[in-house]
Amino acid sequence: MMIISPAEYARLMREVVALIAAEDIEPLVPGLVALGEMIDGTWGLPEGRQTVEALRTTSVPFRTALLRTLLDRCHAPDTPPAARRSLVVLLHNIARMTPATSGSPETRAALVDLYSRQDTEHDTRQLIHLAEGELADGRDLPGEFVAVLRRSQMVAWRRSSELDAFLRRITAPALNPGEAWADRALADLAGLGPDWQRLLAHAATATAPRPPATWERTGRALIDALGADAVGERLLSWLSLVGRPRTRPLLVAYEGSHVNDTFDAFNATALRGLAWLLSFLPAHPDTARALGALAETALRKVPGHGPVNPKVANAAVTALARIDAEPALAELARLATRVTYKGTLKLLDKALEDRARALGLSRGEIEELAVPVYGLTEVGRAEHRFGGTTARLEVRGTKAVLTWTNPAGKPVRAVPAAVRRDHPDELKELKAAVKDVEKMLVAQSERLDRQFLARRTWPYTAWRERCLDHPLVGTLARRLLWTVDGTPAGYADGALRTLTGTPVTDGGEVELWHPVGRDPAEIAAWRDWLEEHGITQPFKQAHREVYVLTDAERATGTYSNRFAAHILRQHQFHALTAVRGWRNKLRLYVDDEAPPATRELPEWGLRAEFWIEGEGTAETYDTDFTDSGSHLRLRTDQVRFYPIDAPENSAHMCGGPYRMRLRDGTAPAGPVPLTDIPPLVLSEVLRDVDLFVGVTSVGNDPAWQDGGPAGRFREYWTSYGFGELSQSAETRRALLERLIPRLATAGRCTIDGRFLQVRGDRHTYRIHLGSGNVLRTPNDQYVCIVPKGDPAAPRAGYLPFEGDRMLTVILSKALLLANDTQITDPTILSQL
């Protein structure tokens, strides 16, 4: 709300009321816009009620004209968002004082236009009266107005029998317009026969969790009538547009509304049906690809809301699970490594478990066998001929790179015109394969990283086939270290070799090498070996942090406090825990309890817990909570371990002690002493927690030097941003000591305790190795440099592993500040 003086408010109110009385629209509208911003759209409260009461006494034609003018003003690009929301609230007030039965056709048309631009309307009788009047005058109802009728009924707390009866009479349009995919489908339907209309109408009845037998029979019959190929081509073209921005954004009356970021409720049901229909078609890679993309789009996070539409994602997974083909299995396996939404992940797990059981394999084996080769004929490489032109696909790190040579054997930058003209389908499939390879590389890297705690071992022959020599997985496996019957080995110079270069050609049992329990000399030797061969590991292994018990943890006995008392961004923390295989529940400002962030370790019979609590109280609600009531930040506490079958601990959402919840006479269970936790388990769990803190702490946000809301976190921000290094930051320092001599700016960079010191021409700078925050001479003045994540930014050269974003940030800041006379960013220059 704008801060104004009472005199200014009173003056503007008098002007607005006078203009309303005179029914003078042109000067009135700017006054209403300004007044709406002043009162923040509270037209129903005393601040704005005088305006509404004045409008109530005006003529219907005037209110009609005003309604249309305000609608246009809402959609004007120069209208501020706050003013637009305020006008929407005022428009609703005007609509309520203008009953559909009392106005002229012009008034009715204006009201129809207003309601057509919103998501739902609780006064469904008003909607029905408007619709009946339009139909009685011989006018068709706009598709957007029908959409409001449908959505209003779907979300109503109590369904209107009158609206139900009316909607049974309205069968067009088949979908609600306003979404890119639905608009395309409706445009296509205009030139297609009635069977297509029936197919879409059938899709819009997909309200069950999975397709009932009768629904499936009808769907298959409709597909048979239209032809499977035609149906597949048409449905895939529609689904390719799902997730694009709305073609006609809806008006919103309050900040935090998500109606333009989620799926239309009616169309979402149809999407579920289309996903099921795809599973009735002959298996095809494009079908599996489209369903996987639909699931990911439907689970995209909307800030303050959650996933776009989990039911659509679940329908896509259900469809994939019904397709008995390798591409569908591959998509299920890929999604299982990427999806974090609990309900959908449960469906994915069940689908993979069922497939594994049917084939007599373990879950791990089915995930490995599900990885496609995407046309790769050797590890990381493939060639495709298009007439005389050759396309070479090569995996480089996490990227799939496509290069072309013409019939003369000369490289060309772009796809030759002859290939685009003569081989469009093959080219389309090749480009799709490139995208699939990159998605699967990320998924497989994350899967392999989880094998340490999964205690995964392989028979040597199976491991060679599924990992080392697999055309896609091999690009990752050949950059990792393994043990064969206990002997460490890595892939170099065309063979698996020991540190001394001896080839390893056979063996019994293979597992991933882990630095826990290894001699420091061996770890250092493998780091040298990686650098000698220029190998960048897909995740930290030789440079992986090792967390061992401290004296403080031996003293506490059953819990670790080394990551306590941090302030984390809750939603980022929540997403990251899911990616790392932890289970967490968002803290809300409600009278309820929640368990700690938890990771179950069935292979070890343990459950790890990271105790957290919401930060903020009723007094700080405006700055510490989202519009939906979830905490913006968390405060951290202990890390503990329990037997996996121990009753769960929980604490109040808003803070307080954790207590074990005992039900049905279950006995309490104490925490497992830290000395009894296997060293690898302790190290990996604490490494996860270090990652959570390092990534989501407010202390590594360069824009928080003021301490956040009311400066409450200034002391924490300073202590974290420039304090002692965590284990991951210590690892970063050790690596930088090796990397700095190779940098172009090596003569300007030195390691000084917790900092990378950089000598520029203007100043000398100190970059903290944990947070990446920067101080400059003299007097350690803080310099705020916000990383932009520009892929075109200069790189620091060879790095021995991928995934440490903070390392990249620190190196990029070092390169920038070493050449500080060449900085052109005005925000940075103003601080130098």
Side-chain angles (χ1 to χ4, degrees), residues 154 174-176 179 181 200-208 215 263-277 309 311-312 315:
M154 293 182 75
L175 296 169
N176 288 348
E179 293 181 321
W181 81 269
L200 264 181
H202 185 60
T205 64
T207 56
W215 195 98
F263 293 161
D264 181 290
F266 181 84
N267 290 350
T269 302
L271 279 176
R272 296 169 69 189
L274 295 181
W276 293 349
L277 290 171
N309 194 301
K311 288 184 177 180
V312 172

Side-chain angles (χ1 to χ4, degrees), residues 214-356:
T214 54
W215 195 98
E216 180 172 348
R217 283 195 297 271
T218 301
R220 289 186 180 277
L222 289 168
I223 290 172
D224 290 342
L226 293 167
D229 290 344
V231 171
E233 182 179 357
R234 191 75 63 178
L235 266 55
L236 291 178
S237 71
W238 296 343
L239 293 184
S240 68
L241 302 177
V242 173
R244 293 192 180 184
R246 284 190 62 89
T247 55
R248 190 177 186 185
L250 300 169
L251 295 174
V252 295
Y254 60 92
E255 190 174 8
S257 172
H258 306 291
V259 297
N260 289 310
D261 302 316
T262 55
F263 293 161
D264 181 290
F266 181 84
N267 290 350
T269 302
L271 279 176
R272 296 169 69 189
L274 295 181
W276 293 349
L277 290 171
L278 282 176
S279 71
F280 304 159
L281 301 173
H284 191 280
D286 284 347
T287 301
R289 194 177 292 131
L291 290 170
L294 179 62
E296 289 185 297
T297 300
L299 291 178
R300 188 184 68 244
K301 295 289 180 63
V302 177
H305 171 79
V308 171
N309 194 301
K311 288 184 177 180
V312 172
N314 293 349
V317 170
T318 297
L320 282 169
R322 293 169 56 91
I323 300 174
D324 187 12
E326 288 186 5
L329 180 57
E331 276 298 311
L332 289 170
R334 184 184 70 82
L335 288 172
T337 68
R338 305 295 298 160
V339 166
T340 60
Y341 185 74
K342 186 176 179 180
T344 307
L345 187 58
K346 184 177 180 180
L347 284 178
L348 286 164
D349 287 340
K350 183 179 185 304
L352 290 170
E353 294 287 355
D354 289 347
R355 194 67 61 90

Side-chain angles (χ1 to χ4, degrees), residues 722-776:
F722 301 105
E724 295 299 322
L725 299 182
S726 66
Q727 186 63 47
S728 60
E730 290 284 1
T731 301
R732 194 175 296 132
R733 182 176 68 174
L735 176 60
L736 283 169
E737 288 174 341
R738 302 169 67 99
L739 292 179
I740 286 174
R742 305 173 193 170
L743 299 178
T745 55
R748 292 175 174 261
C749 299
T750 55
I751 297 293
D752 180 16
R754 304 188 297 269
F755 297 88
L756 171 61
Q757 185 163 292
V758 181
R759 179 172 52 82
D761 293 320
R762 298 173 184 267
H763 304 279
T764 296
Y765 308 88
R766 298 203 300 158
I767 307 174
H768 191 260
L769 299 177
S771 65
N773 289 335
V774 180
L775 301 173
R776 74 162 175 84

Side-chain angles (χ1 to χ4, degrees), residues 554-618:
R554 290 190 178 89
T556 58
T558 57
Y559 61 89
S560 168
N561 260 336
R562 74 169 82 180
F563 297 109
H566 287 279
I567 306 297
L568 312 182
R569 294 178 288 269
Q570 171 170 223
H571 293 84
Q572 190 179 15
F573 170 82
H574 183 67
L576 189 55
T577 55
V579 169
R580 296 298 299 170
W582 290 66
R583 176 168 49 87
N584 182 54
K585 187 174 183 179
L586 282 173
R587 267 55 179 175
L588 307 174
Y589 191 66
V590 294
D591 186 15
D592 195 6
E593 294 195 345
T598 301
R599 180 163 185 179
E600 294 184 348
L601 306 163
E603 293 82 4
W604 306 87
L606 293 169
R607 181 180 77 230
E609 295 185 354
F610 184 25
W611 288 10
I612 54 176
E613 66 178 54
E615 167 65 28
T617 64

Side-chain angles (χ1 to χ4, degrees), residues 650-777:
S650 67
H652 196 276
M653 285 275 197
C654 298
Y658 276 91
R659 297 180 298 271
M660 187 162 280
R661 303 174 68 179
L662 303 177
R663 295 176 177 174
D664 303 325
T666 55
V672 178
L674 295 180
T675 52
D676 293 347
I677 304 300
L680 187 145
V681 174
L682 178 74
S683 184
E684 286 296 296
V685 167
L686 293 181
R687 182 175 184 269
D688 272 356
V689 176
D690 193 355
L691 175 70
F692 301 154
V693 172
V695 172
T696 71
S697 170
V698 301
N700 61 26
D701 187 337
W704 262 57
Q705 71 270 25
D706 61 354
R712 300 199 326 264
F713 306 107
R714 185 178 291 112
E715 182 178 349
Y716 169 72
W717 185 87
T718 302
S719 65
Y720 180 90
F722 301 105
E724 295 299 322
L725 299 182
S726 66
Q727 186 63 47
S728 60
E730 290 284 1
T731 301
R732 194 175 296 132
R733 182 176 68 174
L735 176 60
L736 283 169
E737 288 174 341
R738 302 169 67 99
L739 292 179
I740 286 174
R742 305 173 193 170
L743 299 178
T745 55
R748 292 175 174 261
C749 299
T750 55
I751 297 293
D752 180 16
R754 304 188 297 269
F755 297 88
L756 171 61
Q757 185 163 292
V758 181
R759 179 172 52 82
D761 293 320
R762 298 173 184 267
H763 304 279
T764 296
Y765 308 88
R766 298 203 300 158
I767 307 174
H768 191 260
L769 299 177
S771 65
N773 289 335
V774 180
L775 301 173
R776 74 162 175 84
T777 58

Side-chain angles (χ1 to χ4, degrees), residues 22 44 53 85 134 170 189 229 247 289 335 374-375 382 399 475 477 523 526 541 647 681 724 814 826:
E53 292 304 319
R85 292 191 297 269
E134 290 294 282
I170 306 297
L189 284 180
D229 290 344
T247 55
R289 194 177 292 131
L335 288 172
Y374 297 113
K399 297 293 182 183
T475 65
I523 297 173
W526 278 116
Q541 192 182 20
V681 174
E724 295 299 322

